[in-house]
Amino acid sequence: MKNKIIAGFAVMFLFVSCKNDEKILNSLADYNNSMEAKGYHFGDKLDLPKEVLDNAESISISFGDKETSNLVVDSKYFTLGDNAVTFNIKTKGGETLYQDATINVFTKNPVQNIMYQIVAEYPHNPANFVQGFQLDGNTVYESDGQKGSSQILKYNLGDTTPIASTKQPEDIFSEGSAIVGDKVYQLTWQNKKGFVYDKNSLKLLSEFPYPDVMGEGWGLAYDGKNLIASDGTKNLYFLNTSDPSKVTRYISVAGNSEIYDQLNELEYYKGFIYANVWQKPIILKINPANGEVVGKFDFTDIAKQNTKGSDDVLNGIAFKGDNMLVTGKNWSKIYEVAVK
């Protein structure tokens, strides 16, 4: 009889313990879900539910190979935007519980809506699927995508006849490009490599592998020191121009209430990165020091006039003095806008 009583207590203890663990996890899940839209700022403390804190001997947060027991949103561990984490809870009952969560980190400052005025329009070849777009003097350098049609070319602004061009092999889908001194660098979408051309003749000089951390190649810019590359995520990677396979640092991009991924064609001008967001008629102005979106251009009206399907979207940023040039994939126009 005594053994049966002991066994009964053991079963009851196990049942209570399991129910308690379930309460802890449910409480934590409810809290995390409620905070996803609201998000955090750097320096905020995670105000975990009493149900969790009262029953935990220790709590830590892991980020892949990193882990911290400090329940503060610290830039040493968190990035702007969405952070995939795992909560590790050691209960007072001796169990270890795990729960995956997404912690969104936003900037504190509101994003400025940047106003502009169209001051000029130029012809653009609608056959060109624009992936990279730069202006040097009065010469446009353009990287065009699509397998079988990919190329790098240059032409005078106001004309559509190429001065020089180089076609890509059939299996190449060209992406972003950037001018660095007397060379032009160009990414490819899924071929895990980029090309380097002579700026004058557009003759192919060499190839380079891009970093493994970049799953794909999307946009490319140059800040005077490093190449800046996007890969369709929220991250922008700063690459060594002497060896673009090496990442010198990276930033993650977000605003004060929104996370931005699918960052596409890039431009660097006067201390800021400008980025198209794929499938959206906007261009972001980004602080390269920390990834903070400080401003946003809304080109909805221009995009509506030129976008008929899902592919011919806004994608092309260059600067003509302090005015911005914008175009898109298969658009028939390039617009010059004065920033107000």
Side-chain angles (χ1 to χ4, degrees):
M1 177 65 71
K2 184 176 180 181
N3 287 340
K4 288 183 179 179
I5 293 173
I6 293 172
F9 276 123
V11 171
M12 184 179 296
F13 175 79
L14 183 62
F15 175 76
V16 171
S17 177
C18 288
K19 292 293 288 183
N20 200 44
D21 292 349
E22 186 178 341
K23 285 182 180 180
I24 294 171
L25 292 175
N26 287 341
S27 179
L28 181 60
D30 289 343
Y31 169 76
N32 286 327
N33 289 337
S34 71
M35 289 300 296
E36 273 203 46
K38 181 180 179 183
Y40 297 88
H41 302 112
F42 288 123
D44 286 354
K45 182 177 176 57
L46 275 68
D47 188 19
L48 299 184
K50 189 172 184 295
E51 186 79 45
V52 177
L53 298 175
D54 286 351
N55 290 282
E57 182 178 305
S58 65
I59 303 172
S60 68
I61 302 173
S62 58
F63 311 72
D65 59 349
K66 298 186 295 183
E67 188 172 354
T68 179
S69 57
N70 185 8
L71 301 180
V72 172
V73 179
D74 189 333
S75 59
K76 288 191 300 185
Y77 300 97
F78 292 86
T79 68
L80 284 175
D82 53 333
N83 294 262
V85 305
T86 300
F87 283 88
N88 314 294
I89 303 169
K90 186 176 180 181
T91 70
K92 291 179 179 178
E95 299 292 328
T96 301
L97 308 178
Y98 303 95
Q99 188 172 95
D100 295 333
T102 298
I103 292 179
N104 292 325
V105 182
F106 299 117
T107 63
K108 290 185 178 180
N109 299 318
V111 175
Q112 176 191 5
N113 290 314
I114 304 175
M115 307 306 292
Y116 61 89
Q117 178 182 2
I118 298 173
V119 295
E121 297 179 7
Y122 308 93
H124 180 259
N125 188 342
N128 293 354
F129 196 77
V130 179
Q131 299 292 88
F133 189 71
Q134 297 87 42
L135 184 71
D136 183 64
N138 195 53
T139 304
V140 176
Y141 288 78
E142 187 175 294
S143 172
D144 297 326
Q146 299 287 33
K147 289 184 179 180
S149 304
S150 287
Q151 62 180 337
I152 187 87
L153 74 159
K154 65 178 185 177
Y155 53 89
N156 290 324
L157 182 65
D159 193 3
T160 59
T161 304
I163 301 168
S165 64
T166 298
K167 299 285 186 180
Q168 302 293 358
E170 294 288 317
D171 67 324
I172 296 292
F173 193 121
S174 295
E175 285 281 349
S177 58
I179 298 170
V180 180
D182 60 356
K183 297 180 176 66
V184 181
Y185 288 70
Q186 180 190 46
L187 291 179
T188 60
W189 181 28
Q190 295 177 322
N191 297 82
K192 296 294 287 184
K193 66 180 178 181
F195 302 107
V196 183
Y197 304 89
D198 174 75
K199 178 183 167 187
N200 183 51
S201 65
L202 294 185
K203 178 183 176 182
L204 179 63
L205 300 176
S206 61
E207 299 181 3
F208 62 89
Y210 53 74
D212 288 339
V213 69
M214 290 174 55
E216 297 178 344
W218 284 43
L220 197 65
Y222 179 58
D223 66 1
K225 182 180 179 181
N226 295 298
L227 289 163
I228 307 169
S230 63
D231 65 348
T233 68
K234 66 173 182 175
N235 296 328
L236 296 176
Y237 303 92
F238 292 73
L239 311 181
N240 187 324
T241 51
S242 300
D243 183 359
S245 66
K246 293 181 179 178
V247 176
T248 61
R249 68 183 182 96
Y250 78 95
I251 55 174
S252 298
V253 175
N256 67 321
S257 63
E258 191 169 351
I259 297 165
Y260 296 98
D261 60 2
Q262 298 191 316
L263 302 173
N264 205 356
E265 211 271 323
L266 306 176
E267 183 72 19
Y268 182 89
Y269 186 69
K270 288 191 173 180
F272 290 95
I273 301 168
Y274 295 81
N276 281 122
V277 180
W278 187 56
Q279 296 286 356
K280 292 186 178 181
I282 61 174
I283 291 175
L284 306 178
K285 182 180 181 181
I286 302 164
N287 183 341
N290 55 15
E292 177 181 1
V293 177
V294 298
K296 180 171 66 174
F297 294 83
D298 185 345
F299 288 108
T300 297
D301 290 342
I302 291 177
K304 280 182 179 178
Q305 298 174 41
N306 295 276
T307 304
K308 310 303 179 186
S310 59
D311 289 335
D312 51 349
V313 294
L314 177 75
N315 198 57
I317 313 165
F319 277 88
K320 183 175 181 285
D322 286 332
N323 289 351
M324 180 186 284
L325 297 180
V326 296
T327 190
K329 304 174 190 291
N330 301 129
W331 285 19
S332 62
K333 290 182 180 179
I334 298 169
Y335 297 85
E336 180 179 346
V337 302
V339 180
K340 292 183 178 181

